[in-house]
Amino acid sequence: HSLAHAPNLKTTPLLQTSMEDFTKAHEISAYSLISVARATQSFLATDNNNSSITALSYLGAVRAIPGYNSMGPAKASLEAVVRGLALEMAPSTRVNAVSAGPIATLSAKGGIANFGSMLEDVNQRAPLGNVTQEQVASTVEFLASEGTGITGQTIYVDGGYSIVGGPALTQP
């Protein structure tokens, strides 16, 4: 599940976000996971308790990120939906989220103000630097594999960015 959208994200601070835009961001970015789970539940439940749903999130769900505006609360809502669905769909289906570092997709570059600054900050501060699409995909593949025993979790695949506070690290 990688659906996300917040109307006027690039131009409207959270404090100025209309109820309509706020609701639309939650509907598209979080409620859509409920819709997908409901629509696929009968198919997933037949897979001998080995089905998996993985949503994509971002650090803005748990931290205030400049320019992320109304998408932060929408991603927080998504992660709460992941936990609720994990409880309701067990034991037949595991539900998790992957919180990836900023990846230069068309929607991210075009929709998030100062996206280039986000990338630069992650590259400077994350112990492993920013992640690749392949690393995120490998984590999603792992969560979908048999026998992980993981459900209701948000896994951070961000080069360690989410663990760092303070100024950027200087390399020796």
Side-chain angles (χ1 to χ4, degrees), residues 45-130:
T46 62
D47 196 19
N48 296 322
N49 297 341
N50 190 39
S51 295
S52 177
I53 296 173
T54 304
L56 296 180
S57 190
Y58 181 64
L59 185 62
V62 296
R63 304 266 194 289
I65 306 291
Y68 207 55
N69 305 329
S70 62
M71 188 55 77
K75 288 296 188 178
S77 180
L78 173 68
E79 290 184 15
V81 167
V82 164
R83 291 186 296 273
L85 289 175
L87 179 64
E88 291 183 15
M89 297 183 79
S92 66
T93 304
R94 293 168 286 111
V95 184
N96 293 291
V98 169
S99 181
I103 305 251
T105 62
L106 286 176
S107 59
K109 290 187 287 188
I112 299 173
N114 301 315
F115 182 76
S117 297
M118 290 172 75
L119 282 175
E120 183 179 321
D121 191 52
V122 170
N123 284 324
Q124 288 178 358
R125 295 168 39 108
L128 300 178
N130 199 18

Side-chain angles (χ1 to χ4, degrees), residues 3 12 17 23 26 30 49 63 83 106 110 124 139 143 160 163 166:
L3 300 174
T12 308
T17 301
T23 303
H26 283 258
N49 297 341
R63 304 266 194 289
R83 291 186 296 273
L106 286 176
Q124 288 178 358
T139 304
L143 289 170
I163 66 166

